Each structure stands twice: as structure tokens, then as C-alpha cells.
Amino acid sequence: MGKRSPLLAALAITTTVLVWATAFPAIALALRDISPIPLASLRYSIAAVFALLWLLWRRPARMAAADFALCLGCGVLGAVGYSVFVNIGQQTVSAGATGFLVKTESLWMAALAIIFLGERFGARAWGGSLLAFAGVGIIGASQHGELSFGGGAVFVLAAAFCSASGFVLQRKLLARYGPPHVAAIVFIAAALALAPWLPQAIGEAEGASLSSLGWVAFLGIFPTTVGQICWTYSLNHFGVARAGNFLYLVAPITVLVAWILAGETPMAATIFGGALILGGVLLVNTRRRQKPVETIPPAAEVEACADRAR
């Protein structure tokens, strides 16, 4: 791969972590002028433009009809569901707390593997799950939305579930067609599904501040498009397991970025609860390495192949 490939890989994974960590503060800032669903529509409209350009440039082989339909479904569930729920949740949940709560997608993926793939949960995995959900409870109780039906934290957890479900559905597609091809179709499907809200989004954008518009553009270009490109390169260089370990840095960096950009002073409950979530996810993933299953942690801003930024 050449002498520069280790440096390029380091730059790629660093870029991935930074843009995905910045996604949640960017959402919080964009929500000051743009409503949650219109914001998602604008974000994926931008990403869809880049996806169309990539498809015209690379001209990949057509997907089989069944695979194409599944990919469209992943766009609706994994991308639209994730983005809409996380945007709604962030109306009352801080960006830093959201970064930690979204990390529970790894637990959802483990649960889906038990249900649909017949995997088993050992004592370590159950302990990790309880530890993580204790962290969820601590963070949720400290937010304005709380852990009540309709509360912001519940919407963020729903976003994590959508992201995990979308990944599970597209796992075989990634092996057959590659992450860029799948991501391109997912982005376009998400943009089309959110198209009914695009006129409202354009109307709100006309009255939005330049700062908010800048963050909308940032979300569509960097966490979604650039993050996907850099993540794909990182996967090819480091492998899934090693590259995935770097993503544990996203949540802590999100807290720091949110403090700097959005003025969100980190709460003790967020730090403590986030540490429990990360510790629990690490324990569950240690269990999963005993029986290798090809996984690509997201996002996101998934966003590994569907969305993220996060």
C-alpha cells in the first residue's frame, strides 16, 4: 500500500473520530434554528448529492432487486430512524450525554445477535449490559427529558436501536457490494424518505442564522460523507476489530467538543454514567470476540455505512 499508507490511515481514523465526535454538538447548534425532521432532511439531501456523484463516477454493478430493496429499507430504518430520533432527543439531551447514550447501539447489536443469530450471553456480557444500562439510567435521570416515555433520552436510545438494526440488516450487503456502494444507496433512500419535509427545511433555512446553516452543511459533508470515506479507508487498513476500538474515543471527545463549541459544561452524572456505558460495552464486546462476528461499529453521527454523526 506504499510507505505513506500508515500515515494516511492514522489521518483517516483521526478524521473519523473527530468529525463523528463533532456531529452531536453540531446537531445541537443547528437545532437552534432548524426543526428535528427538517434538519435530517437537509443533512441527507446534502449527503445524497455526494452519493449520486460517486455512483456516476464509479458506476458500480447493479444490486440484485432483493438486495436493493433491503438497502432502501436500511436507509429508512438505519439512517432516517437514527437521525430523526437523535435530533428529537437532542432537544432536551445534551450533546455530550447523547454521545454516550448512542454508544448503547453495541448492546442492541448484541441483543439482536442473540435473537436472530443464536449467540449466547455469558456472565461477563450480562454484567456488562447491566453496567451500561446503569450508566444510561444515571445520564437519563440528569437530563431534562429524563428516562420517561417521550423523554429525550428515550429518543436517543431509540436512535441507537435504529442504527444497530440498520447495521444488522445490511451486514450481508456490505460483504457483497462494499461500504461505499451500500452507503450511497442508503443516503439517497434517506433523502427520498425525508423529501416531504424538505420544503419546510428550506423555509426554515431561509430564516436561519449563517452559523446554523454552516452547521447543517457541516453535518451533511463531514460526519456523513467525509466520515464514511475515512471510516472505509480505516477499515481496509486496520481491520474491523482494531478500527472499532478507536470509536470508543468518540463519546469522550464529544463531551470536550460540546464544551468548547456549544458551551455545554460537562455534568458529573454524564461523565460517570458515560464511563459505566463504555465499560459495559467493552465487557460485552469482549464476549463477542470469543465468537468472531464481523461487525462495524457506527455512529452516528453508522453512521459507519448508513449515517452518524452520527
Side-chain angles (χ1 to χ4, degrees), residues 209-303:
S209 66
L210 287 177
S211 175
S212 294
L213 293 177
W215 288 117
V216 171
F218 174 85
L219 285 168
I221 296 171
F222 290 98
T224 308
T225 307
V226 174
Q228 167 62 31
I229 294 170
C230 291
W231 174 243
T232 300
Y233 186 89
S234 301
L235 286 176
N236 290 335
H237 183 86
F238 294 109
V240 173
R242 189 179 175 195
N245 286 335
F246 287 102
L247 297 187
Y248 288 105
L249 297 172
V250 170
I253 294 177
T254 294
V255 174
L256 178 61
V257 173
W259 191 5
I260 296 172
L261 295 181
E264 292 184 358
T265 303
M267 299 173 60
T270 298
I271 302 300
F272 180 60
L276 293 181
I277 290 174
L278 292 183
V281 169
L282 279 168
L283 284 175
V284 172
N285 283 347
T286 299
R287 188 276 315 180
R288 290 174 67 79
R289 291 192 199 103
Q290 297 173 357
K291 182 178 181 179
V293 176
E294 186 178 355
T295 60
I296 303 176
E301 256 252 120
V302 155
E303 228 136 264

Side-chain angles (χ1 to χ4, degrees), residues 27 31 34-44 75-91 98 151-152 154-160 162-163 190-191 193-195 197 300-301 303 307-308 310:
I27 290 171
L31 284 172
I34 311 292
S35 302
I37 301 181
L39 174 59
S41 180
L42 286 173
R43 176 177 182 175
Y44 281 105
V76 174
L77 176 62
V80 175
Y82 170 85
S83 188
V84 169
F85 282 135
V86 86
N87 288 355
I88 294 173
Q90 277 202 242
Q91 291 182 112
T98 299
V154 173
F155 279 109
V156 176
L157 293 176
C162 287
S163 177
L194 290 165
W197 288 272
E301 256 252 120
E303 228 136 264
D307 109 76
R308 239 82 145 19
R310 313 324 340 16

